[in-house]
Amino acid sequence: MTQPSAHRDNAREDALTEAESTADGGSGASSGRRRGDVAVPALGPVGMLRWAWTQLTSMRTALMLLLLLAVAAVPGSLFPQRVQGQAAVERWLDDHPTAGPILDSLQVFDVYSSFWFSAIYLLLFTSLVGCIIPRAKKHLEQMSSPPPRTPRRLERLPQHGAVELDDDGPAPEQAVREAARVLKGRRYRVDVREASTDARGREVPASVGAEKGYLREIGNLLFHVSLVGVLICVAAGSMFSYSGQKIVTEDESFVNSLVSYDNFVPGTAFDESQMEPFSVTLDSFERIFDRENPSHYGQPLDFTADVTVREEPGAEPEEHELKVNHPLTFGGARVFLVGNGYAPEVTVRDGAGDVAYSGPVVARAQDSVYTSTVVIKAPDARPEQLSFVGLLLPTAQEGDSGAAVSVDPALQNPQLQLNSYAGDLGLDSGEPQNVYVLDTEGLTELNSRTSESGGLSLGVGETAELPDGLGSISFDGVTNYIGIDIHYNPGKTGVLIFALAALAGLILSLFLRRRRAWVTATTNEAGRTLVTYGLLARGEDFRLREETIALRSRFEKQWPVRAPEQAHHETPTDEQDGPGRRGRGASGREK
């Protein structure tokens, strides 16, 4: 018999101790080492690299790196990112003069392109690939090799049993072949072994080995391959994607080129040739407000932009509706409706009577009734550059304080309330400015509610003269504008496909079980065929007993099986023939 593992370990330790004592001249110690100490050999550079590779490609390391990657992405949600808004990053740095430069040196504002995030990303990728390849090779070998050899004593398996056939039952060899067909019917891969004699001259009965559940490991491999696919697609999307925003007023066209964007964020490997050459023209825009529910009166219900699109230059124009959450698609680029508002049309004349500015000005809505801020800059005015800042009120009405307010989001009584300024706007310096912000420092105030000349209040069609003959401003009307987002990400489809594949692989690995089954057939002393079977699961399998019961049921339908009582009376006892010779059920001996 084979020694138990504890006995083997003790014997091995005794042998080591004795060998070291002999090497030390029987003294039990040499060079300061105590008796029984083992010298650990040096790994060397190659051994160290092999050990490091083994650690990196272990599943535990892959899971730790995956968790670390999730933790490393947290700063990207806590701090503004340059890829999303340079202005927000600059404001944060100005507000935090001490911590800002330190965090910037650590690339906290460029998390997803930082060296430390990229290092974790690449290590995770390497770990997954190094883990998948050897596992795939090993699984392929297992699928191409026959099931494991048949154990000599099936009664030692977790689930086992035996059936004794009637006198008219098949011979052992035929019973084994029929058992193989039963196992095939239950989706096992089988290998029939004929009766033989082993190296010690003992008879080995005919048997069949079977195994199933290979899809479990395939699902596991599919899950990890899909994770690698997700990483590749996310990286490709980050490299070749682009996104941008554009404000489009009615009757204005947007062409998908770099110069047309108000804001543009390219990927690290972006190429302008990737851009789809489409164009979008805003024909009209409709807002629907709630006019029936008193508690939600004036709340927006729906926005619809009627647009004319061309998928490429020279293509036939097509009319479409652009709505919230219903984007337009052009190849791989998608156009989303993300905002809207009013754009007052004004004409600014300078002191010489020349037109310094004429056209719509985008007003940014501040509340639910579309009270909107307006900034107008006229750098071409002479002798002084002119600028205006104030509010657009879609439905103006005098408030309790005497100042006009908007009481409804619809254009029922539009009015401009403005302050005017004269002076150098700083646009000639070449430094970029926010078109929605007016820096009044260094400018001369011409009109305001607190000045002697008062503020400017204009209805549609009205004109106001500026003090000192510096010019005038006319309110010509109001048009609509929309804000659109354009996104192009070539990796998003791949991410979706691989994510679904990962989910499918996870389901396979969770719900399938790897099982092995063996069936032997012998002739007992009564001259009848005795079929013994046993089952073993690789890993936890709480349904293995159910599989055993189902397999026994199939055997009882396949052959004429003697009743347990008959087998009990006619089969030799345990003392006469050893254990496991009588008919046994799936959970123990039959009585």
Side-chain angles (χ1 to χ4, degrees), residues 355-417:
V355 176
Y357 179 85
S358 180
V361 180
V362 173
R364 304 175 68 185
Q366 303 298 310
D367 55 27
S368 60
V369 293
Y370 278 68
T371 301
S372 307
T373 58
V374 179
V375 174
I376 305 169
K377 299 178 182 181
D380 296 331
R382 296 293 181 269
E384 295 280 350
Q385 293 181 346
L386 300 175
S387 56
F388 306 83
V389 62
L391 299 174
L392 169 67
L393 309 177
T395 302
Q397 181 176 309
E398 187 175 343
D400 297 337
S401 62
V405 295
S406 181
V407 296
D408 194 88
L411 288 173
Q412 299 180 18
N413 182 30
Q415 190 177 97
L416 276 176
Q417 301 285 337

Side-chain angles (χ1 to χ4, degrees), residues 507-529:
I507 292 174
L508 289 176
S509 62
L510 289 177
F511 291 96
L512 293 182
R513 292 292 180 265
R514 189 81 173 268
R515 295 168 178 166
R516 291 172 175 173
W518 294 274
V519 179
T520 62
T522 57
T523 301
N524 61 13
E525 294 186 358
R528 304 185 187 96
T529 299

Side-chain angles (χ1 to χ4, degrees), residues 214-224 501-502 504-506 508-509:
Y214 293 97
L215 282 177
R216 175 183 172 87
E217 181 63 15
I218 291 176
N220 202 350
L221 291 172
L222 176 62
F223 174 75
H224 291 90
L506 186 62
L508 289 176
S509 62

